[in-house]
Amino acid sequence: MKSNNVVSSFSYLILFLATFFFTSVTSEDPYKFFTWKVTYGDIYPLGVKQQGILINGQFPGPQIDTVTNENLIISVYNYLSEPFLISWNGLQHRRNSWQDGVSGTNCAIPPRRNFTYTLQAKDQIGSYFYFPSLGMHKAAGAFGAIRIWSRPGIPVPFPSPSGDITILAGDWFKLGHRRLRRVAESGHKLPFPDGLLINGRGWNGNTFTVDQGRTYRFRISNVGLATSLNFRIQGHRLKLVEVEGSHTLQNTYSSLDIHLGQSYSVLVTADQPVRDYYVVVSTRFTRRVLTTTSILHYSNSRIGVSGPPPPGPTLDIASSVFQARTIRWNLTASGPRPNPQGSYHYGLIKPSRTIMLANSAPYINGKQRYAVNSVSYIAPDTPLKLADYFNIPGVFYVGSIPTFPTGGNNGYLQTAVMGANFHENVEIVFQNWEDSVQSWHIDGYSFFVVGFGSGQWTPDSRGRYNLRDTVARCTTQVYPRSWTAVYIALDNVGMWNIRSENWERQYLGQQFYLRVYTPSKSLRDEYPVPKNALLCGRASGRVTRPV
């Protein structure tokens, strides 16, 4: 009997372990696999032949559709004659800045080589995009939409629309990306863009077909290089429902300002008389206004568009500021998790430190550069993340950019890295003393835009903060001679890029890296270097880890 009991106990143990292993394996989040071939190709976005950068022969690139927590395995083959990298605007890469795809975290993919990104849409929903992060590649294509859908069973705060339409809008240059790079590096400012594109096409280049009486979701991203945009649809109202992963109060607008790097979702009901209508994008805050259109086609329409497209706002700042103040978090809606967004009371958490970042446009060594707190970033020969991981000296030092402006218009060149501690709660103030609208992005995070105002930020400005229902997002605008303040909980270890979304400014130094550090080596806090990581510069010849 004793022997039988031992056998029986052993059998139960084997059954338990087998069940545990099977459950662990089958409960893992799903995987999606992509193979992307990056090539040159002829494109004609403004009616002029240009050399574009294509992904699988497409301009713009393939759209990524995924569900919260799914794993994305994206194998990128570089068939260009130059190094290449893709970054993921808005994906947070929890514990995994190794996959961020910027020069401070990744070695570029050499020509005729491959790199496989391993991404996860961890606890995220919403509308984002990817883009090429090196040089001026963004001026040649290789960008595309990312749509992260909610998991089944987690409600969204609006009925399922009849369709989901992507709008990738942005300014465009007829000059190729190499010539634009040479202009910037020569110390001259880039020319004004030649036109605008919607989904890679110019005037009336796209038709979006809808059925009368039905409601559609439009996801709009500004993927341009230089200008803020205004989006509108002739005769139709835009009901805002989502901003970069946050469900919003469902206010309606006749048009919507979308600044560089930003993404929005609106619901549009086809409730007008049967005919065709203009979908319009135009530049904001520019003396010369660029405009382009697509067509909203009612499925039973026999009447095309006619006359000029409806005008939009141009130089007026006040209306844009007013609109920005109306964009609020929907506190009762679920985010990527079933609990309501308002269950995280960001306004009750007192920041432990304040960082103020002031943009400037100094001339350094006789050339136009751009700076943050007087520091104009220069990329080292080795990605910062690799240098940090392998303890390679001389690549960078933490604290090479001050946490407050130093004053004056002078600037200096430096590989700028700012230090911060894991689990810090930080207030960041973007201070803009220039006459143009700025747009700032933080990789790896979503932050709360708690306030903005004109003039100089002071501690008294906190009295005007929205500490209840401001929206959480990853890219924010800063109006001319104004400030914008954000709260951010540094809960994602890594080396994270903070940059201007104006690509000339970013390329010529208006960026730096925030090193969010913990001495812990636990996988709970950060993943180790990927086995397939490309090694370059002073990290060449190192060993990542056993396969």
Side-chain angles (χ1 to χ4, degrees):
M1 287 294 293
K2 184 175 181 180
S3 176
N4 288 339
N5 286 338
V6 170
V7 172
S8 178
S9 299
F10 182 76
S11 299
Y12 278 121
L13 177 61
I14 293 297
L15 179 62
F16 170 77
L17 291 175
T19 303
F20 176 80
F21 177 77
F22 178 78
T23 303
S24 299
V25 170
T26 56
S27 64
E28 187 177 6
D29 295 310
Y31 281 76
K32 286 186 175 179
F33 296 86
F34 304 83
T35 299
W36 286 359
K37 296 181 179 180
V38 181
T39 61
Y40 299 118
D42 291 339
I43 57 175
Y44 302 80
L46 293 177
V48 176
K49 181 180 176 180
Q50 295 178 257
Q51 185 189 68
I53 298 178
L54 314 180
I55 298 179
N56 292 351
Q58 300 178 43
F59 169 70
Q63 181 165 272
I64 295 177
D65 279 292
T66 187
V67 175
T68 302
N69 289 354
E70 284 187 337
N71 297 282
L72 307 176
I73 311 300
I74 304 175
S75 190
V76 178
Y77 290 83
N78 179 15
Y79 290 101
L80 307 181
S81 60
E82 54 196 313
F84 182 79
L85 269 181
I86 289 180
S87 191
W88 320 89
N89 208 77
L91 264 66
Q92 294 177 16
H93 309 296
R94 307 296 301 177
R95 300 180 289 169
N96 202 10
S97 65
W98 300 105
Q99 307 295 330
D100 201 22
V102 290
S103 65
T105 58
N106 295 83
C107 296
I109 307 171
R112 317 301 297 184
R113 289 282 301 277
N114 154 262
F115 178 71
T116 299
Y117 291 89
T118 303
L119 315 175
Q120 187 182 29
K122 179 64 175 174
D123 290 337
Q124 285 189 264
I125 58 168
S127 309
Y128 310 95
F129 63 92
Y130 61 86
F131 67 96
S133 62
L134 297 184
M136 286 287 170
H137 285 168
K138 195 178 180 185
F143 52 77
I146 302 172
R147 303 189 301 188
I148 306 178
W149 303 81
S150 294
R151 286 177 289 177
I154 298 182
V156 295
F158 50 86
S160 295
S162 297
D164 198 290
I165 298 169
T166 294
I167 302 285
L168 297 175
D171 48 46
W172 193 258
F173 295 85
K174 292 180 181 178
L175 288 178
H177 69 93
R178 293 187 185 90
R179 289 185 62 187
L180 289 172
R181 186 179 70 234
R182 287 197 294 269
V183 170
E185 291 176 347
S186 69
H188 299 90
K189 293 185 178 182
L190 294 186
F192 190 71
D194 295 294
L196 301 180
L197 303 182
I198 297 175
N199 293 351
R201 298 182 177 184
W203 199 269
N204 289 352
N206 305 274
T207 298
F208 307 111
T209 301
V210 296
D211 295 331
Q212 189 180 37
R214 294 184 179 273
T215 298
Y216 297 82
R217 181 175 185 172
F218 283 74
R219 300 177 190 249
I220 315 119
S221 296
N222 184 341
V223 297
L225 279 77
T227 57
S228 298
L229 301 176
N230 182 267
F231 176 84
R232 53 200 180 273
I233 299 179
Q234 183 182 24
H236 293 72
R237 302 287 289 175
L238 313 175
K239 180 184 287 188
L240 184 65
V241 294
E242 178 251 333
V243 173
E244 294 158 21
S246 292
H247 288 128
T248 64
L249 293 182
Q250 296 180 11
N251 299 324
T252 57
Y253 303 91
S254 58
S255 69
L256 196 61
D257 284 347
I258 304 175
H259 304 278
L260 285 166
Q262 293 185 339
S263 298
Y264 290 83
S265 282
V266 298
L267 298 180
V268 178
T269 300
D271 55 3
Q272 298 301 301
V274 173
R275 47 163 294 191
D276 291 355
Y277 297 87
Y278 285 113
V279 177
V280 190
V281 172
S282 61
T283 55
R284 282 289 262 132
F285 321 118
T286 58
R287 295 286 177 185
R288 177 185 164 203
V289 178
L290 301 176
T291 301
T292 196
T293 61
S294 290
I295 305 299
L296 186 73
H297 170 68
Y298 279 52
S299 58
N300 53 344
S301 168
R302 297 180 181 274
I303 304 173
V305 294
S306 60
T314 54
L315 296 175
D316 175 43
I317 296 285
S319 63
S320 186
V321 173
F322 176 79
Q323 183 179 91
R325 293 188 190 282
T326 66
I327 298 174
R328 301 294 183 89
W329 224 19
N330 185 336
L331 297 180
T332 61
S334 294
R337 296 172 178 266
N339 51 300
Q341 292 180 148
S343 61
Y344 179 73
H345 301 291
Y346 70 91
L348 300 179
I349 301 173
K350 183 176 176 60
S352 59
R353 64 189 287 207
T354 297
I355 298 170
M356 179 178 286
L357 305 174
N359 50 274
S360 60
Y363 279 79
I364 302 176
N365 299 327
K367 293 185 177 182
Q368 176 70 71
R369 295 287 299 187
Y370 297 95
V372 188
N373 290 358
S374 300
V375 182
S376 187
Y377 180 84
I378 52 172
D381 60 3
T382 306
L384 306 171
K385 186 64 182 167
L386 288 176
D388 203 22
Y389 182 82
F390 289 118
N391 295 313
I392 301 173
V395 176
F396 74 94
Y397 68 91
V398 176
S400 45
I401 177 173
T403 57
F404 275 80
T406 56
N409 295 320
N410 296 325
Y412 58 95
L413 303 175
Q414 182 66 264
T415 301
V417 178
M418 186 180 293
N421 293 320
F422 187 35
H423 290 317
E424 268 192 294
N425 290 284
V426 176
E427 173 187 50
I428 299 179
V429 179
F430 296 98
Q431 181 72 59
N432 176 21
W433 284 118
E434 298 183 69
D435 292 325
S436 57
V437 175
Q438 306 294 314
S439 189
W440 286 93
H441 176 87
I442 301 179
D443 278 353
Y445 286 95
S446 182
F447 50 75
F448 291 94
V449 185
V450 293
F452 42 89
S454 59
Q456 172 71 53
W457 180 90
T458 69
D460 291 339
S461 303
R462 296 185 179 118
R464 290 180 276 164
Y465 283 4
N466 176 359
L467 299 181
R468 182 176 183 272
D469 63 350
T470 193
V471 72
R473 63 187 316 167
C474 59
T475 308
T476 186
Q477 72 273 21
V478 191
Y479 292 103
R481 300 194 172 276
S482 299
W483 56 268
T484 295
V486 308
Y487 278 4
I488 182 169
L490 298 180
D491 59 357
N492 197 10
V493 175
M495 188 77 71
W496 301 109
N497 189 229
I498 299 181
R499 63 176 176 268
S500 170
E501 286 283 4
N502 179 303
W503 216 243
E504 176 188 22
R505 286 176 167 266
Q506 179 273 155
Y507 183 64
L508 293 179
Q510 204 158 87
Q511 61 170 310
F512 69 96
Y513 284 82
L514 185 70
R515 179 184 184 251
V516 181
Y517 175 75
T518 176
S520 165
K521 302 300 181 184
S522 171
L523 295 180
R524 177 188 59 203
D525 297 330
E526 186 179 25
Y527 295 140
V529 61
K531 291 176 287 189
N532 69 328
L534 299 175
L535 302 179
C536 57
R538 285 178 252 183
S540 298
R542 307 272 177 151
V543 177
T544 54
R545 55 194 173 97
V547 177

